[in-house]
Structure formats: structure tokens, C-alpha cells
Amino acid sequence: MSNNQNNPNPDGQEINIELTEEIAEGIYSNLAIITHSNTEFVVDFVRIMPGVPKAKVKSRIVLTPEHAKRLLTALQDNVNRFEAQNGKIDTREMPIPLNFGGPTGEA
């Protein structure tokens, strides 16, 4: 089963976008690592789990610089709307604890 959405592209034509059930479930990520070259931006979405010293990249998205900037603009617009409804998001820089506050292993 799939969810189809019709969205206009910049030229005003509609594009049929298909969203499968598997993709619609999403992938949880609590860390994004962004790198770039002169031709592309690479965003690796990572899931760090408590007590696990190794983290896996769960998804990698490669974007052109133009699309990266469009994504930045769209994210900023959505964050602004979210904060207008729910209040300011706290973004204090905090180190990522490798044990997430859970028990530490002993040998």
C-alpha cells in the first residue's frame, strides 16, 4: 500500500509523490553528521543507543548545494511555526553522554 501526494514543482506542474508504508514508518535518529564538497552535501542520520559504544548510520541523504539550501529554508520555516505554537525549543549545547545516564559496564 502506498500514500500518494500531489505536490506542485517550481514549474507549476504537479508531481505524484509515492510514500510506501515502510518509508512512512520513518527512521529514528538522534544525531546528524553533515559534510560537504563543492558539489554536494551529505547528511548521515545516526542512532546512538545507551550503553552501546558503536553507532550506526541509519540513513544517508546526498543533496546538491541548491537543495541543501532549500532544505535549510524549509526546516527554518517549520521550526518557526512549531515554536509559534509550542514555545521556544531549548538548544543548549550539551555533550552527548555515551552511556545516556544508564549503568556503565564493568569488566
Side-chain angles (χ1 to χ4, degrees):
M1 182 176 189
S2 65
N3 179 14
N4 291 320
Q5 298 178 3
N6 290 327
N7 291 328
N9 72 17
D11 298 329
Q13 296 177 331
E14 286 193 0
I15 300 173
N16 187 19
I17 298 175
E18 183 176 340
L19 180 63
T20 65
E21 286 184 34
E22 179 183 10
I23 298 298
E25 289 179 16
I27 296 173
Y28 177 75
S29 170
N30 51 10
L31 176 66
I33 299 170
I34 303 170
T35 56
H36 68 275
S37 70
N38 61 337
T39 59
E40 61 197 14
F41 280 73
V42 178
V43 184
D44 287 330
F45 293 95
V46 180
R47 182 184 311 157
I48 299 176
M49 298 304 291
V52 179
K54 187 176 183 180
K56 288 188 176 182
V57 173
K58 303 307 280 183
S59 182
R60 171 175 277 188
I61 306 298
V62 181
L63 303 157
T64 65
E66 296 83 4
H67 284 116
K69 191 156 189 178
R70 287 185 189 113
L71 176 61
L72 173 67
T73 301
L75 281 171
Q76 186 62 63
D77 180 55
N78 277 268
V79 167
N80 290 342
R81 286 189 276 146
F82 177 91
E83 288 183 332
Q85 291 179 346
N86 302 289
K88 188 159 178 64
I89 299 170
D90 183 7
T91 57
R92 286 178 287 171
E93 292 293 324
M94 298 171 69
I96 300 170
L98 295 180
N99 66 2
F100 281 72
T104 57
E106 294 183 23

